[in-house]
Amino acid sequence: MDSTTHPPMMHPETCVIHGGHQRDPSGALVTPLLQSATFAFADCRTGGARFAGEQTGPIYTRLGNPTTDELERRLALLEGADDAVAFASGMGAVSAVLLGLLSQGDHLIVANGLYGCSHALAVEQLPRFGIEVTEVDFADLASVQQAILPNTKMLLLETPVNPHLQAYDLDGVMALTTPPGCLTVVDNTFMTPLLQKPLSHGADLVLHSATKYLNGHGDVVAGIVCGRRELTEVIRGVGRKDFGAVLSPHDAWLILRGLKTLALRVDRHCQNALKVAQYLEQHAAIAKVYYPGLQSHMGYKLLGNQMRAGGGVLAIELHGDYDDALRFVDSLKLFTIAVSLGDPESLVQHPASMTHACYDPEVRRAAGISDNLVRLAIGLEHGDDLLSDLEQALVATFADKELER
Ligand code: LCS
Protein backbone atom coordinates (compact mmCIF):
# COMPACT_ATOMS: atom_id res chain seq x y z
CA MET A 1 0.00 0.00 0.00
CA ASP A 2 1.44 3.42 -0.80
CA SER A 3 0.37 6.70 0.67
CA THR A 4 -1.81 7.55 -2.31
CA THR A 5 -3.99 4.47 -1.81
CA HIS A 6 -4.47 4.85 1.95
CA PRO A 7 -7.95 5.09 3.25
CA PRO A 8 -8.12 8.65 4.64
CA MET A 9 -8.68 7.47 8.22
CA MET A 10 -6.82 4.45 9.51
CA HIS A 11 -7.15 2.82 12.88
CA PRO A 12 -4.02 3.46 14.96
CA GLU A 13 -3.12 -0.25 14.80
CA THR A 14 -2.97 0.09 10.99
CA CYS A 15 -1.38 3.52 11.01
CA VAL A 16 1.65 2.36 13.03
CA ILE A 17 2.40 0.00 10.13
CA HIS A 18 1.25 1.84 7.01
CA GLY A 19 0.79 5.50 7.94
CA GLY A 20 2.52 7.86 5.50
CA HIS A 21 4.30 5.03 3.70
CA GLN A 22 5.59 5.87 0.25
CA ARG A 23 6.55 2.79 -1.69
CA ASP A 24 10.10 2.85 -3.00
CA PRO A 25 10.45 2.44 -6.78
CA SER A 26 12.43 -0.78 -6.11
CA GLY A 27 9.29 -2.32 -4.62
CA ALA A 28 11.01 -2.87 -1.26
CA LEU A 29 8.37 -3.77 1.32
CA VAL A 30 10.33 -2.09 4.10
CA THR A 31 11.20 1.61 3.95
CA PRO A 32 14.77 1.82 2.61
CA LEU A 33 17.43 3.16 4.94
CA LEU A 34 19.08 6.11 3.19
CA GLN A 35 22.13 6.40 5.39
CA SER A 36 23.61 9.32 3.51
CA ALA A 37 24.67 12.71 4.83
CA THR A 38 24.09 14.47 1.53
CA PHE A 39 22.22 14.00 -1.76
CA ALA A 40 23.45 14.54 -5.32
CA PHE A 41 21.65 17.03 -7.56
CA ALA A 42 21.21 16.15 -11.25
CA ASP A 43 22.49 19.59 -12.17
CA CYS A 44 23.23 22.97 -10.66
CA ARG A 45 19.77 24.43 -11.32
CA THR A 46 18.15 21.48 -9.50
CA GLY A 47 20.30 22.18 -6.45
CA GLY A 48 19.39 25.86 -6.52
CA ALA A 49 15.69 25.05 -6.94
CA ARG A 50 15.77 22.75 -3.91
CA PHE A 51 17.48 25.38 -1.76
CA ALA A 52 14.93 27.95 -2.93
CA GLY A 53 12.08 25.59 -2.00
CA GLU A 54 10.87 25.60 -5.63
CA GLN A 55 11.46 21.87 -5.95
CA THR A 56 11.01 19.13 -3.39
CA GLY A 57 13.71 16.56 -2.75
CA PRO A 58 16.50 15.89 -0.29
CA ILE A 59 19.47 18.25 0.09
CA TYR A 60 21.41 17.35 3.23
CA THR A 61 20.32 15.09 6.09
CA ARG A 62 20.30 17.82 8.76
CA LEU A 63 17.63 19.54 6.64
CA GLY A 64 15.71 16.35 5.85
CA ASN A 65 16.16 12.73 4.86
CA PRO A 66 13.65 10.45 3.09
CA THR A 67 13.86 7.73 5.79
CA THR A 68 13.32 10.29 8.55
CA ASP A 69 10.56 11.95 6.49
CA GLU A 70 8.59 8.71 6.55
CA LEU A 71 8.88 8.53 10.34
CA GLU A 72 7.67 12.13 10.56
CA ARG A 73 4.67 11.47 8.28
CA ARG A 74 3.71 8.42 10.36
CA LEU A 75 3.91 10.23 13.70
CA ALA A 76 1.99 13.21 12.34
CA LEU A 77 -0.82 10.87 11.27
CA LEU A 78 -0.79 9.04 14.60
CA GLU A 79 -1.03 12.26 16.61
CA GLY A 80 -3.52 13.86 14.21
CA ALA A 81 -1.07 16.65 13.28
CA ASP A 82 -0.23 18.40 9.99
CA ASP A 83 3.44 17.66 10.41
CA ALA A 84 6.13 16.24 12.70
CA VAL A 85 9.85 16.91 13.19
CA ALA A 86 12.25 14.24 14.43
CA PHE A 87 15.26 15.00 16.65
CA ALA A 88 18.38 13.31 17.95
CA SER A 89 16.83 12.97 21.43
CA GLY A 90 13.75 13.80 23.43
CA MET A 91 15.69 16.69 24.92
CA GLY A 92 16.55 17.81 21.38
CA ALA A 93 12.79 17.99 20.78
CA VAL A 94 12.08 19.82 24.07
CA SER A 95 14.88 22.34 23.48
CA ALA A 96 13.84 22.91 19.85
CA VAL A 97 10.31 23.77 21.01
CA LEU A 98 11.46 26.07 23.84
CA LEU A 99 14.34 27.79 22.06
CA GLY A 100 12.61 27.83 18.69
CA LEU A 101 9.38 29.45 19.87
CA LEU A 102 10.34 31.55 22.93
CA SER A 103 12.28 34.82 22.93
CA GLN A 104 13.77 37.20 25.45
CA GLY A 105 10.98 38.78 27.54
CA ASP A 106 8.58 35.86 27.12
CA HIS A 107 7.12 33.98 30.07
CA LEU A 108 6.91 30.18 30.20
CA ILE A 109 4.80 28.13 32.64
CA VAL A 110 5.93 24.57 33.28
CA ALA A 111 4.20 21.87 35.27
CA ASN A 112 6.13 20.91 38.37
CA GLY A 113 7.54 17.40 38.36
CA LEU A 114 8.65 17.51 34.70
CA TYR A 115 11.35 15.00 33.71
CA GLY A 116 14.55 16.24 35.41
CA CYS A 117 16.37 17.47 32.28
CA SER A 118 13.26 19.25 30.92
CA HIS A 119 12.94 20.92 34.33
CA ALA A 120 16.64 21.87 34.33
CA LEU A 121 16.46 23.27 30.79
CA ALA A 122 13.44 25.39 31.73
CA VAL A 123 14.43 26.69 35.15
CA GLU A 124 18.24 26.84 34.84
CA GLN A 125 18.95 27.56 31.18
CA LEU A 126 16.07 29.64 29.82
CA PRO A 127 16.43 32.47 32.38
CA ARG A 128 20.00 32.96 31.02
CA PHE A 129 18.34 34.00 27.74
CA GLY A 130 15.92 36.42 29.41
CA ILE A 131 12.95 34.02 29.43
CA GLU A 132 10.95 34.09 32.66
CA VAL A 133 9.84 30.67 33.95
CA THR A 134 7.23 29.73 36.57
CA GLU A 135 6.62 26.20 37.86
CA VAL A 136 3.05 25.39 38.84
CA ASP A 137 1.07 22.36 39.97
CA PHE A 138 -1.25 21.63 37.04
CA ALA A 139 -3.57 19.64 39.32
CA ASP A 140 -4.58 23.06 40.69
CA LEU A 141 -5.87 24.85 37.60
CA ALA A 142 -6.76 27.97 39.60
CA SER A 143 -3.08 28.40 40.47
CA VAL A 144 -2.12 27.91 36.82
CA GLN A 145 -4.63 30.59 35.87
CA GLN A 146 -3.16 32.92 38.48
CA ALA A 147 0.36 32.34 37.14
CA ILE A 148 -0.60 33.35 33.59
CA LEU A 149 0.80 36.79 32.71
CA PRO A 150 0.22 39.06 29.69
CA ASN A 151 3.60 37.87 28.30
CA THR A 152 2.94 34.14 28.89
CA LYS A 153 3.79 32.50 25.56
CA MET A 154 3.71 28.83 26.46
CA LEU A 155 2.44 26.23 28.91
CA LEU A 156 4.54 23.03 28.99
CA LEU A 157 3.29 19.94 30.77
CA GLU A 158 3.64 16.19 30.86
CA THR A 159 0.65 14.05 31.64
CA PRO A 160 0.95 11.65 33.35
CA VAL A 161 3.93 13.23 35.09
CA ASN A 162 7.23 11.43 35.38
CA PRO A 163 7.62 9.76 37.88
CA HIS A 164 4.51 9.72 40.12
CA LEU A 165 2.02 9.56 37.28
CA GLN A 166 -0.08 12.50 38.38
CA ALA A 167 -2.42 13.04 35.44
CA TYR A 168 -3.75 16.43 34.38
CA ASP A 169 -7.06 17.26 32.79
CA LEU A 170 -6.19 18.52 29.30
CA ASP A 171 -9.70 19.89 28.69
CA GLY A 172 -9.35 21.90 31.92
CA VAL A 173 -5.93 23.20 30.84
CA MET A 174 -7.30 24.19 27.44
CA ALA A 175 -10.19 26.07 29.09
CA LEU A 176 -7.76 28.43 30.90
CA THR A 177 -7.75 32.04 29.76
CA THR A 178 -4.44 32.74 28.07
CA PRO A 179 -3.06 35.69 26.10
CA PRO A 180 -3.49 35.49 22.30
CA GLY A 181 -0.86 33.26 20.72
CA CYS A 182 0.00 31.42 23.94
CA LEU A 183 0.81 27.80 23.06
CA THR A 184 0.10 24.64 25.04
CA VAL A 185 2.71 21.93 24.63
CA VAL A 186 2.16 18.41 25.96
CA ASP A 187 4.90 15.82 26.41
CA ASN A 188 3.07 12.59 25.54
CA THR A 189 6.02 10.22 26.08
CA PHE A 190 4.35 8.15 28.81
CA MET A 191 1.11 7.60 26.88
CA THR A 192 2.00 7.43 23.15
CA PRO A 193 -0.68 8.45 20.63
CA LEU A 194 -2.26 5.04 21.15
CA LEU A 195 -3.38 5.97 24.66
CA GLN A 196 -3.75 9.76 24.54
CA LYS A 197 -4.00 12.37 21.77
CA PRO A 198 -3.40 15.83 23.25
CA LEU A 199 -3.95 17.66 19.93
CA SER A 200 -7.53 16.38 19.84
CA HIS A 201 -8.07 18.17 23.18
CA GLY A 202 -6.79 21.43 21.70
CA ALA A 203 -3.05 21.34 22.52
CA ASP A 204 -0.87 23.15 19.98
CA LEU A 205 2.10 20.81 20.03
CA VAL A 206 2.78 17.32 21.30
CA LEU A 207 6.25 15.90 21.80
CA HIS A 208 7.85 12.60 22.67
CA SER A 209 11.04 11.08 23.81
CA ALA A 210 10.91 8.49 21.00
CA THR A 211 13.63 6.69 22.96
CA LYS A 212 10.78 5.16 24.95
CA TYR A 213 7.65 3.39 23.65
CA LEU A 214 7.75 4.69 20.07
CA ASN A 215 11.01 2.89 19.34
CA GLY A 216 10.34 0.39 22.10
CA HIS A 217 13.53 -1.66 21.95
CA GLY A 218 15.98 0.31 24.09
CA ASP A 219 18.49 0.83 21.28
CA VAL A 220 17.81 4.40 20.08
CA VAL A 221 17.77 7.88 21.61
CA ALA A 222 15.37 10.15 19.69
CA GLY A 223 12.65 12.77 19.97
CA ILE A 224 9.74 14.03 17.89
CA VAL A 225 7.45 17.08 17.88
CA CYS A 226 4.03 17.07 16.15
CA GLY A 227 1.70 19.96 15.42
CA ARG A 228 0.52 22.63 12.99
CA ARG A 229 2.84 23.21 10.06
CA GLU A 230 3.33 26.92 10.81
CA LEU A 231 4.88 25.85 14.16
CA THR A 232 6.73 22.73 13.01
CA GLU A 233 8.41 24.71 10.23
CA VAL A 234 9.94 27.07 12.79
CA ILE A 235 10.87 24.16 15.07
CA ARG A 236 12.48 22.27 12.16
CA GLY A 237 14.37 25.36 11.00
CA VAL A 238 15.65 26.50 14.37
CA GLY A 239 15.89 23.26 16.33
CA ARG A 240 17.27 20.99 13.66
CA LYS A 241 18.78 23.15 10.90
CA ASP A 242 20.36 25.75 13.17
CA PHE A 243 20.85 23.99 16.54
CA GLY A 244 21.57 20.74 14.75
CA ALA A 245 19.94 18.01 16.88
CA VAL A 246 19.49 15.82 13.79
CA LEU A 247 18.29 12.22 14.08
CA SER A 248 20.46 9.62 12.35
CA PRO A 249 18.56 8.01 9.42
CA HIS A 250 19.53 4.63 10.86
CA ASP A 251 17.81 5.52 14.12
CA ALA A 252 14.74 6.76 12.20
CA TRP A 253 14.68 3.40 10.40
CA LEU A 254 14.89 1.51 13.70
CA ILE A 255 12.00 3.56 15.10
CA LEU A 256 9.94 2.83 11.98
CA ARG A 257 10.59 -0.86 12.61
CA GLY A 258 9.76 -0.58 16.30
CA LEU A 259 6.58 1.40 15.62
CA LYS A 260 5.01 -1.48 13.70
CA THR A 261 4.45 -3.36 16.97
CA LEU A 262 3.55 -0.31 19.07
CA ALA A 263 -0.13 -1.21 19.44
CA LEU A 264 0.67 -4.78 20.55
CA ARG A 265 3.41 -3.62 22.89
CA VAL A 266 1.38 -0.85 24.51
CA ASP A 267 -1.46 -3.24 25.27
CA ARG A 268 0.94 -5.69 26.92
CA HIS A 269 2.74 -2.95 28.88
CA CYS A 270 -0.63 -1.73 30.18
CA GLN A 271 -1.89 -5.23 31.10
CA ASN A 272 1.32 -6.03 32.96
CA ALA A 273 1.44 -2.66 34.71
CA LEU A 274 -2.15 -2.98 35.93
CA LYS A 275 -1.44 -6.46 37.24
CA VAL A 276 1.67 -5.27 39.09
CA ALA A 277 -0.14 -2.18 40.43
CA GLN A 278 -3.06 -4.25 41.76
CA TYR A 279 -0.69 -6.73 43.36
CA LEU A 280 1.42 -4.05 45.05
CA GLU A 281 -1.59 -2.02 46.19
CA GLN A 282 -2.72 -4.84 48.46
CA HIS A 283 0.81 -5.64 49.71
CA ALA A 284 1.54 -4.91 53.37
CA ALA A 285 5.05 -3.62 52.61
CA ILE A 286 3.79 -0.94 50.22
CA ALA A 287 2.49 2.38 51.51
CA LYS A 288 1.31 3.82 48.19
CA VAL A 289 1.03 2.84 44.53
CA TYR A 290 0.79 5.58 41.91
CA TYR A 291 -0.81 4.23 38.74
CA PRO A 292 -3.59 5.91 36.74
CA GLY A 293 -5.23 2.54 36.09
CA LEU A 294 -6.06 2.17 39.81
CA GLN A 295 -9.27 3.65 41.15
CA SER A 296 -7.29 5.15 44.03
CA HIS A 297 -5.27 7.34 41.62
CA MET A 298 -6.27 10.89 40.69
CA GLY A 299 -5.76 10.03 36.99
CA TYR A 300 -8.39 7.29 37.03
CA LYS A 301 -11.20 9.75 36.29
CA LEU A 302 -9.46 10.70 33.03
CA LEU A 303 -9.54 7.14 31.71
CA GLY A 304 -11.95 6.92 28.82
CA ASN A 305 -12.17 10.60 27.96
CA GLN A 306 -8.48 11.50 27.83
CA MET A 307 -6.48 8.33 28.39
CA ARG A 308 -7.35 4.91 26.99
CA ALA A 309 -5.44 3.06 29.76
CA GLY A 310 -2.98 3.71 32.56
CA GLY A 311 0.23 3.08 30.59
CA GLY A 312 3.26 1.02 31.49
CA VAL A 313 4.88 2.99 34.32
CA LEU A 314 4.05 3.06 37.99
CA ALA A 315 5.66 4.42 41.11
CA ILE A 316 5.56 3.07 44.65
CA GLU A 317 6.41 4.18 48.13
CA LEU A 318 7.49 1.49 50.53
CA HIS A 319 6.72 1.38 54.25
CA GLY A 320 10.28 2.29 55.03
CA ASP A 321 12.95 4.88 54.53
CA TYR A 322 15.41 5.82 51.82
CA ASP A 323 17.68 2.86 52.67
CA ASP A 324 14.77 0.42 52.45
CA ALA A 325 13.92 1.79 49.01
CA LEU A 326 17.50 1.26 47.85
CA ARG A 327 17.62 -2.24 49.39
CA PHE A 328 14.39 -3.14 47.57
CA VAL A 329 15.74 -1.90 44.22
CA ASP A 330 19.00 -3.79 44.73
CA SER A 331 17.11 -6.99 45.61
CA LEU A 332 15.20 -7.16 42.31
CA LYS A 333 16.58 -9.74 39.91
CA LEU A 334 14.40 -9.63 36.80
CA PHE A 335 13.95 -5.84 36.85
CA THR A 336 17.09 -4.04 35.68
CA ILE A 337 18.26 -0.90 37.50
CA ALA A 338 18.26 1.59 34.64
CA VAL A 339 16.69 4.93 33.76
CA SER A 340 14.35 4.56 30.83
CA LEU A 341 10.91 3.17 30.06
CA GLY A 342 9.03 1.62 27.19
CA ASP A 343 11.54 -1.18 26.66
CA PRO A 344 10.75 -4.92 26.53
CA GLU A 345 12.81 -5.29 29.74
CA SER A 346 11.23 -4.15 33.00
CA LEU A 347 13.33 -1.38 34.54
CA VAL A 348 13.50 0.11 38.01
CA GLN A 349 15.00 3.38 39.17
CA HIS A 350 15.10 5.67 42.19
CA PRO A 351 13.96 9.14 41.01
CA ALA A 352 15.34 11.14 43.99
CA SER A 353 18.89 9.97 43.26
CA MET A 354 18.56 9.40 39.50
CA THR A 355 16.09 10.99 37.02
CA HIS A 356 15.09 13.82 39.38
CA ALA A 357 18.40 14.25 41.25
CA CYS A 358 18.98 17.62 39.58
CA TYR A 359 15.96 19.15 41.37
CA ASP A 360 16.49 21.25 44.46
CA PRO A 361 15.49 18.73 47.21
CA GLU A 362 12.75 21.02 48.57
CA VAL A 363 11.25 21.57 45.11
CA ARG A 364 11.51 17.85 44.44
CA ARG A 365 9.64 16.92 47.60
CA ALA A 366 7.02 19.60 46.91
CA ALA A 367 6.53 17.95 43.50
CA GLY A 368 5.67 14.70 45.32
CA ILE A 369 8.96 12.95 44.62
CA SER A 370 9.71 11.54 48.04
CA ASP A 371 13.04 9.98 48.99
CA ASN A 372 11.58 6.48 49.11
CA LEU A 373 9.68 6.69 45.81
CA VAL A 374 10.66 3.93 43.37
CA ARG A 375 9.66 3.95 39.68
CA LEU A 376 8.89 0.73 37.85
CA ALA A 377 8.82 0.79 34.05
CA ILE A 378 6.97 -2.40 33.30
CA GLY A 379 8.18 -4.44 30.34
CA LEU A 380 6.77 -7.17 28.16
CA GLU A 381 7.69 -10.22 30.25
CA HIS A 382 5.07 -12.60 31.66
CA GLY A 383 3.25 -10.73 34.43
CA ASP A 384 3.57 -13.63 36.89
CA ASP A 385 7.36 -13.55 36.61
CA LEU A 386 7.32 -9.85 37.46
CA LEU A 387 5.14 -10.48 40.53
CA SER A 388 7.49 -13.27 41.70
CA ASP A 389 10.48 -10.97 41.40
CA LEU A 390 8.75 -8.15 43.29
CA GLU A 391 7.65 -10.54 46.02
CA GLN A 392 11.13 -12.00 46.56
CA ALA A 393 12.64 -8.48 46.63
CA LEU A 394 10.11 -7.26 49.22
CA VAL A 395 10.77 -10.33 51.35
CA ALA A 396 14.53 -9.73 51.10
CA THR A 397 14.13 -6.02 51.94
CA PHE A 398 12.03 -6.57 55.01
CA ALA A 399 13.50 -9.92 56.09
CA ASP A 400 14.51 -8.46 59.43
CA LYS A 401 11.27 -6.56 59.99
CA GLU A 402 7.91 -7.98 60.91
CA LEU A 403 5.41 -7.64 58.12
CA GLU A 404 1.74 -7.82 58.92
CA ARG A 405 0.20 -9.57 55.97
N1 LCS B 1 10.31 13.71 28.24
C1 LCS B 1 10.05 12.74 29.12
C2 LCS B 1 8.70 12.60 29.71
C3 LCS B 1 11.08 11.86 29.50
O1 LCS B 1 10.79 10.90 30.39
C4 LCS B 1 12.36 12.03 28.92
C5 LCS B 1 13.48 11.13 29.30
C6 LCS B 1 12.58 13.05 28.01
C7 LCS B 1 11.53 13.87 27.68
C8 LCS B 1 13.91 13.26 27.36
O2 LCS B 1 14.09 12.29 26.37
P1 LCS B 1 15.52 11.72 25.88
O3 LCS B 1 16.34 12.92 25.51
O4 LCS B 1 16.11 10.96 27.00
O5 LCS B 1 15.15 10.90 24.69
N2 LCS B 1 13.19 10.32 30.37
C9 LCS B 1 14.01 9.48 30.94
C10 LCS B 1 13.66 8.70 32.06
O6 LCS B 1 12.58 8.74 32.62
N3 LCS B 1 14.65 7.94 32.37
O7 LCS B 1 15.74 8.17 31.57
C11 LCS B 1 15.39 9.18 30.60
Side-chain angles (χ1 to χ4, degrees):
M1 194 188 282
D2 67 29
S3 57
T4 54
T5 58
H6 278 161
M9 291 296 286
M10 278 180 279
H11 289 93
E13 294 79 358
T14 309
C15 193
V16 292
I17 299 166
H18 295 287
H21 181 56
Q22 285 179 358
R23 178 157 291 174
D24 187 68
S26 69
L29 173 68
V30 172
T31 308
L33 165 55
L34 293 179
Q35 184 72 18
S36 183
T38 198
F39 293 85
F41 306 129
D43 53 40
C44 201
R45 282 187 193 284
T46 305
R50 288 201 190 160
F51 270 92
E54 292 157 4
Q55 194 194 83
T56 57
I59 298 175
Y60 184 73
T61 282
R62 182 160 41 74
L63 312 182
N65 174 286
T67 309
T68 310
D69 292 349
E70 175 133 334
L71 172 66
E72 294 176 345
R73 285 193 298 274
R74 191 155 303 163
L75 252 300
L77 282 169
L78 280 166
E79 286 288 6
D82 295 347
D83 190 23
V85 194
F87 290 94
S89 68
M91 286 315 301
V94 176
S95 54
V97 167
L98 297 180
L99 293 165
L101 298 175
L102 297 174
S103 301
Q104 186 177 17
D106 288 345
H107 176 232
L108 165 71
I109 295 181
V110 293
N112 62 7
L114 283 185
Y115 166 63
C117 296
S118 303
H119 160 84
L121 171 62
V123 304
E124 289 167 23
Q125 304 306 324
L126 293 188
R128 294 199 297 123
F129 300 96
I131 297 164
E132 196 189 340
V133 182
T134 309
E135 275 189 302
V136 194
D137 178 4
F138 271 62
D140 178 3
L141 289 174
S143 70
V144 183
Q145 184 66 67
Q146 264 179 7
I148 293 172
L149 303 172
N151 62 337
T152 304
K153 285 281 156 54
M154 190 183 287
L155 313 182
L156 170 65
L157 65 148
E158 293 169 17
T159 180
V161 175
N162 191 359
H164 49 63
L165 288 310
Q166 213 169 4
Y168 302 129
D169 174 7
L170 288 176
D171 292 333
V173 172
M174 296 316 302
L176 293 167
T177 307
T178 52
C182 176
L183 301 171
T184 303
V185 181
V186 178
D187 183 329
N188 203 24
T189 300
F190 273 48
M191 286 278 98
T192 83
L194 287 250
L195 298 182
Q196 176 172 271
K197 292 180 73 168
L199 299 181
S200 72
H201 291 268
D204 298 284
L205 289 166
V206 57
L207 64 88
H208 292 268
S209 166
T211 316
K212 311 297 176 343
Y213 296 100
L214 298 184
N215 177 55
H217 291 75
D219 46 16
V220 164
V221 174
I224 197 142
V225 181
C226 309
R228 291 195 298 283
R229 197 171 298 279
E230 89 220 35
L231 298 173
T232 53
E233 271 173 4
V234 177
I235 293 165
R236 183 180 276 110
V238 178
R240 203 165 71 193
K241 178 176 79 61
D242 296 344
F243 291 145
V246 60
L247 182 65
S248 149
H250 182 240
D251 288 348
W253 186 87
L254 284 170
I255 301 169
L256 281 166
R257 182 165 74 165
L259 267 181
K260 292 183 186 182
T261 54
L262 181 66
L264 295 170
R265 290 187 285 106
V266 163
D267 281 353
R268 180 61 172 266
H269 281 294
C270 291
Q271 274 167 26
N272 274 352
L274 182 61
K275 185 169 177 146
V276 167
Q278 286 170 339
Y279 161 77
L280 291 173
E281 195 175 41
Q282 53 72 46
H283 201 291
I286 304 295
K288 182 87 187 144
V289 178
Y290 300 93
Y291 181 63
L294 292 178
Q295 275 189 25
S296 55
H297 192 271
M298 56 98 77
Y300 189 78
K301 63 180 186 304
L302 298 174
L303 290 189
N305 174 36
Q306 182 177 312
M307 301 156 68
R308 193 166 66 74
V313 180
L314 55 115
I316 56 174
E317 274 158 7
L318 282 80
H319 280 302
D321 56 17
Y322 183 90
D323 289 339
D324 292 320
L326 298 197
R327 199 170 319 126
F328 166 69
V329 171
D330 286 341
S331 302
L332 287 162
K333 296 191 167 103
L334 191 55
F335 282 78
T336 303
I337 308 173
V339 289
S340 198
L341 50 122
D343 294 336
E345 296 84 359
S346 288
L347 306 179
V348 60
Q349 66 110 358
H350 179 241
S353 66
M354 297 178 189
T355 48
H356 293 67
C358 60
Y359 273 73
D360 172 83
E362 286 311 309
V363 175
R364 188 170 61 229
R365 285 185 201 115
I369 304 166
S370 61
D371 286 352
N372 67 346
L373 188 81
V374 170
R375 186 182 81 183
L376 301 171
I378 304 298
L380 303 176
E381 301 93 340
H382 196 292
D384 291 346
D385 295 334
L386 298 176
L387 299 194
S388 303
D389 192 34
L390 291 162
E391 178 63 29
Q392 69 74 26
L394 288 169
V395 169
T397 306
F398 295 101
D400 54 345
K401 299 188 181 180
E402 265 189 63
L403 273 184
E404 275 184 31
R405 313 213 50 181

